[in-house]
Amino acid sequence: MDANEKTITLFSTRIRQMILQFKEIKQENGDLYALVDERDAKIHQLEAKLERAQKDFNTLKMAKMIEISDMDMEGAKKRLSKLIRDVNKCITLLNEK
């Protein structure tokens, strides 16, 4: 073999190696894109779950506030009833004198 044939053989070998390396990198790139798509889907799923949890939390917080308000209303009614009884007792005592 002369120098030109060796150079062409070496060049052909390098080209084949580059083609194989390109195919491997292309496959790896496809795998990485699939992984990124999978992660994006998981992120969207978790964001939706977080949004639902925040809505549920806000609903429960509102329900708790209403519950506390109802308890306060009940306590206020009891205090008001006691005050009315006290006023009625005072009126009764004043009428007796």
Side-chain angles (χ1 to χ4, degrees):
M1 274 211 254
D2 63 352
N4 285 338
E5 288 178 5
K6 286 183 181 180
T7 305
I8 290 175
T9 305
L10 181 63
F11 182 73
S12 297
T13 304
R14 297 285 184 209
I15 293 291
R16 278 190 233 110
Q17 288 174 346
M18 286 178 62
I19 291 172
L20 289 174
Q21 190 177 16
F22 171 76
K23 288 180 181 179
E24 289 173 4
I25 290 174
K26 189 175 178 182
Q27 177 63 39
E28 183 181 357
N29 192 24
D31 293 344
L32 290 173
Y33 270 110
L35 183 62
V36 167
D37 290 340
E38 182 183 322
R39 296 287 167 100
D40 285 344
K42 182 71 171 176
I43 287 170
H44 289 300
Q45 178 187 8
L46 290 172
E47 285 175 343
K49 189 175 180 179
L50 175 63
E51 188 175 329
R52 277 195 313 268
Q54 286 174 336
K55 286 181 182 179
D56 290 346
F57 174 73
N58 288 334
T59 302
L60 287 171
K61 189 167 65 171
M62 184 65 71
K64 186 69 175 171
M65 287 173 56
I66 292 171
E67 181 181 322
I68 289 171
S69 296
D70 288 344
M71 295 174 99
D72 289 345
M73 286 283 264
E74 192 174 312
K77 284 181 184 179
K78 287 179 182 179
R79 286 192 303 273
L80 187 58
S81 294
K82 184 179 181 310
L83 287 172
I84 291 172
R85 283 193 305 271
D86 289 344
V87 168
N88 284 338
K89 285 179 188 177
C90 290
I91 292 172
T92 304
L93 288 173
L94 287 173
N95 284 338
E96 289 178 2
K97 291 185 180 184

